Amino acid sequence: QVQLVESGGGLVQDGGSLLLSCAASGRIFLIYAMGWFRQAPGKEREFVAAIRRSDGRTDYADSVKGRFTISRDNAKNTVYLQMNSLKPEDTAVYYCATRPDVPTTQAMSIRGVYNAWGQGTQVTVSS
């Protein structure tokens, strides 16, 4: 299986920036895409961004488009999430996840096809 370790969360003011990192280990060849999800207190875990390992194709939630950028370094088996112009509503625990290649489901925003998850890192944006 795949193991994931996130880092980079913290406390930042409204309008600030943070860079999250997620390092993968284990059976890397199983990874089709790597994604970031977030969960705020009392809310469902929601898709934030994802990137396909082979060609770098990306997908973003509408709420973060233009503010967040996902990137990958395949040599380091690491994915990054650069978060700019942060807002208080971005406050959540951010989880890194990976999904295998599922031919019937190519979309990268579907939580259900992700089968490896990190422990999560807290991001708090103060107003």
Side-chain angles (χ1 to χ4, degrees), residues 89-125:
E89 51 263 44
D90 294 317
T91 295
V93 177
Y94 283 70
Y95 297 90
C96 175
T98 64
R99 57 156 288 181
D101 186 5
V102 180
T104 57
T105 308
Q106 296 296 302
M108 294 190 288
S109 62
I110 301 175
R111 187 180 70 184
V113 295
Y114 286 80
N115 62 357
W117 294 84
Q119 80 284 358
T121 185
Q122 177 70 45
V123 171
T124 302
V125 184

Side-chain angles (χ1 to χ4, degrees), residues 14-81:
D14 191 355
S17 298
L18 281 175
L19 175 66
L20 304 184
S21 301
C22 174
S25 61
R27 304 177 74 182
I28 303 299
F29 66 92
L30 292 175
I31 299 174
Y32 170 79
M34 297 183 74
W36 289 95
F37 291 76
R38 67 186 181 186
Q39 188 167 17
K43 294 188 176 181
E44 296 272 329
R45 190 171 298 187
E46 65 176 4
F47 170 74
V48 175
I51 187 165
R52 190 156 61 188
R53 180 173 171 81
S54 60
D55 60 5
R57 183 175 73 88
T58 58
D59 191 17
Y60 294 92
D62 288 342
S63 59
V64 306
K65 280 181 181 176
R67 300 189 298 122
F68 291 10
T69 302
I70 190 170
S71 60
R72 80 202 192 291
D73 183 337
N74 285 350
K76 296 181 179 180
N77 297 320
T78 298
V79 66
Y80 305 94
L81 186 68

